[in-house]
């Protein structure tokens, strides 16, 4: 059985005070659902604030990106060992906003995934097509490319630790979520690709999150799909009243 994983990607939102207050409310809710893994990914400057709040709680701390080198002359960057040192257990890699605005490629995603694993961080590797790609019938091609290049050179043992987030770009922040059937279709493809690169046993272990306009009113049907193991949430993770129902999706 795969442990459900609900992660809040706060993106460029929440100062230290807002982050601390929100994290506190999430911690209380998460204690009531120990069977669900809850992750909060604040901006770097709020990591320490959130770390203090989630310490000794079931909630895990994640970062939104990292660089693949450990240290050196890379002004403005943060490395995997430093995120680990800051209390992170997970890190989002290859989010579509980073691909779109910051020139992230499948090759840089692959380097980052490897560096994250080497430092003992769990990468949440994001994959997903844009609207023109979907309309051109390229979903399978794009998602396969993201998956196979992103995971290139990893052992089955390493792949078993990775979390995949399927985030169709057209569903992010648009209020237009993929239907549970559309999402399941791609999640099934992702699991097939995982089986191809790491064998069926590993593929069964890997958790695949859906992301893109996940809200309290659609989480249940999404999570009911056999290959949807969690959610990576943007907008609805910014308020306790919309994120707590996601954490408690079973209730
Ligand atoms: P929304 O939930 O705001 O659509 O964002 C999804 C996302 O990008 C999470 O990483």
């Amino acid at each position: 059985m795969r442990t459900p994983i609900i992660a809040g990607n706060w993106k460029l939102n929440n100062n230290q005070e807002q982050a601390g207050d929100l994290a506190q409310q999430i911690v209380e809710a998460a204690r009531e659902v120990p069977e669900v893994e809850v992750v909060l990914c604040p901006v770097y400057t709020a990591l320490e604030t959130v770390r203090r709040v989630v310490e000794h709680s079931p909630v895990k701390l994640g970062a939104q990106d990292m660089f693949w080198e450990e240290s050196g002359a890379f002004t403005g960057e943060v490395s995997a060992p430093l995120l680990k040192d800051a209390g992170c257990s997970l890190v989002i890699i290859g989010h579509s906003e980073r691909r779109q605005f910051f020139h992230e490629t499948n090759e840089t995603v692959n380097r980052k995934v490897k560096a994250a694993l080497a430092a003992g961080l769990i990468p949440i590797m994001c994959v997903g097509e844009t609207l023109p790609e979907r309309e051109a019938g390229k979903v399978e091609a794009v998602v396969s490319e993201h998956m196979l290049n992103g995971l290139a050179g990893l052992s089955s043992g390493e792949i078993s630790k990775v979390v995949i987030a399927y985030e169709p770009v057209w569903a992010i922040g648009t209020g237009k979520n993929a239907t549970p059937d559309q999402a399941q279709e791609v999640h099934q493809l992702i699991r097939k690709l995982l089986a191809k690169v790491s064998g069926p046993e590993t593929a069964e272990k890997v958790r695949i999150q859906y992301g893109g306009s996940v809200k309290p009113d659609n989480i249940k049907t999404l999570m009911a799909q056999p290959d949807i193991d969690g959610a990576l949430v943007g907008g609805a993770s910014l308020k306790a009243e919309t994120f707590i129902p996601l954490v408690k999706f079973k209730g």
Side-chain angles (χ1 to χ4, degrees), residues 9 11 95 97 167 171-174 211-215 232-236:
N9 173 11
K11 307 190 180 181
H95 191 280
E97 286 148 17
E167 297 207 310
I172 295 177
T174 57
S213 299
V214 176
K215 300 275 182 312
L232 182 56
V233 187

Side-chain angles (χ1 to χ4, degrees), residues 49-90:
T49 306
V50 175
R51 186 194 67 77
R52 282 190 208 161
V53 175
V54 303
E55 203 177 18
H56 311 303
S57 93
V59 176
K60 293 186 176 158
L61 186 64
Q64 299 176 15
D65 184 35
M66 49 162 269
F67 189 47
W68 58 81
E69 293 291 348
E70 284 189 12
S71 62
F74 302 105
T75 302
E77 291 298 331
V78 170
S79 67
L82 292 183
L83 291 179
K84 188 85 183 155
D85 181 52
C88 292
S89 317
L90 300 97

Side-chain angles (χ1 to χ4, degrees), residues 48-196:
E48 174 60 11
T49 306
V50 175
R51 186 194 67 77
R52 282 190 208 161
V53 175
V54 303
E55 203 177 18
H56 311 303
S57 93
V59 176
K60 293 186 176 158
L61 186 64
Q64 299 176 15
D65 184 35
M66 49 162 269
F67 189 47
W68 58 81
E69 293 291 348
E70 284 189 12
S71 62
F74 302 105
T75 302
E77 291 298 331
V78 170
S79 67
L82 292 183
L83 291 179
K84 188 85 183 155
D85 181 52
C88 292
S89 317
L90 300 97
V91 57
I92 298 170
I93 290 178
H95 191 280
S96 63
E97 286 148 17
R98 298 220 57 89
R99 293 178 190 259
Q100 190 181 349
F101 303 127
F102 303 99
H103 314 296
E104 192 84 74
T105 64
N106 289 326
E107 201 220 339
T108 61
V109 168
N110 182 242
R111 284 182 170 209
K112 290 180 180 189
V113 167
K114 285 179 179 160
L117 287 166
L121 289 172
I122 301 297
I124 298 180
M125 188 180 92
C126 302
V127 303
E129 80 287 356
T130 62
L131 187 59
E133 287 166 345
R134 176 164 280 264
E135 285 172 349
K138 290 187 184 155
V139 176
E140 185 166 346
V142 171
V143 171
S144 303
E145 223 171 87
H146 286 177
M147 285 291 298
L148 300 179
N149 294 326
L151 299 176
L154 268 66
S155 68
S156 297
E158 288 172 319
I159 292 175
S160 70
K161 294 181 190 146
V162 174
V163 174
I164 305 293
Y166 169 56
E167 297 207 310
V169 180
W170 49 272
I172 295 177
T174 57
K176 201 172 131 187
N177 65 290
T179 64
D181 285 348
Q182 279 174 324
Q184 168 58 25
E185 197 182 336
V186 181
H187 281 232
Q188 199 172 22
L189 163 70
I190 290 171
R191 209 172 296 287
K192 256 194 223 148
L193 293 164
L194 285 165
K196 196 167 140 183

Side-chain angles (χ1 to χ4, degrees), residues 4-16:
I5 175 167
I6 307 290
N9 173 11
W10 290 352
K11 307 190 180 181
L12 184 46
N13 295 288
N14 290 335
N15 63 22
Q16 295 191 54

